[in-house]
Amino acid sequence: ARWEARLWQYWELCIAEEFWPLSRMQVDGVLWRWGYAPREFEEAKKLMGGGDPFYTSKISNICRGTYLTPQEMLCHQVRISRGFSMLERALGDGRRFLVGGAFSIADVS
């Protein structure tokens, strides 16, 4: 059961890797565009970026909505959908928990 729980923890990490770029584009970027005037964002970006040119460029792309291309967004969405299909299949036999007959770390993942 321990190895099964670890597999579900790994599953969660893989899903998170697919979610975070979409979250940056579709949540953070939208909130930044909504909450900051362009000049205010330039000042905030300096603070958020801490002088790191790579991170500052990333923040700029997120805010502009150009961090991911439409094709990259679609790829992340497809991978997330596949991941949740795996979860649905695992629970498709009617069981309430991913590993064993009781709530475990696998269910937290």
Side-chain angles (χ1 to χ4, degrees):
R2 184 179 209 155
W3 67 269
E4 287 180 284
R6 288 191 180 204
L7 286 175
W8 284 110
Q9 288 177 310
Y10 180 71
W11 172 89
E12 188 275 333
L13 289 173
C14 292
I15 289 290
E17 285 295 315
E18 299 301 332
F19 261 113
W20 79 259
L22 290 174
S23 174
R24 297 290 108 20
M25 275 284 288
Q26 296 178 330
V27 177
D28 297 354
V30 172
L31 291 174
W32 290 343
R33 288 189 299 275
W34 180 67
Y36 289 102
R39 285 188 183 152
E40 291 174 326
F41 183 75
E42 288 301 314
E43 291 302 315
K45 179 173 69 174
K46 291 175 188 172
L47 294 173
M48 288 187 273
D52 179 344
F54 172 79
Y55 193 69
T56 302
S57 174
K58 179 179 170 179
I59 292 169
S60 295
N61 288 333
I62 290 169
C63 186
R64 282 193 300 265
T66 59
Y67 181 63
L68 298 173
T69 66
Q71 183 62 33
E72 289 170 323
M73 290 177 62
L74 181 61
C75 286
H76 287 291
Q77 291 165 351
V78 167
R79 290 182 192 128
I80 291 166
S81 179
R82 287 180 184 158
F84 279 110
S85 292
M86 291 172 62
L87 179 63
E88 288 293 325
R89 279 193 305 276
L91 295 172
D93 60 6
R95 61 182 147 155
R96 294 178 54 204
F97 305 103
L98 287 169
V99 177
F103 187 76
S104 71
I105 191 70
D107 301 296
V108 173
S109 295

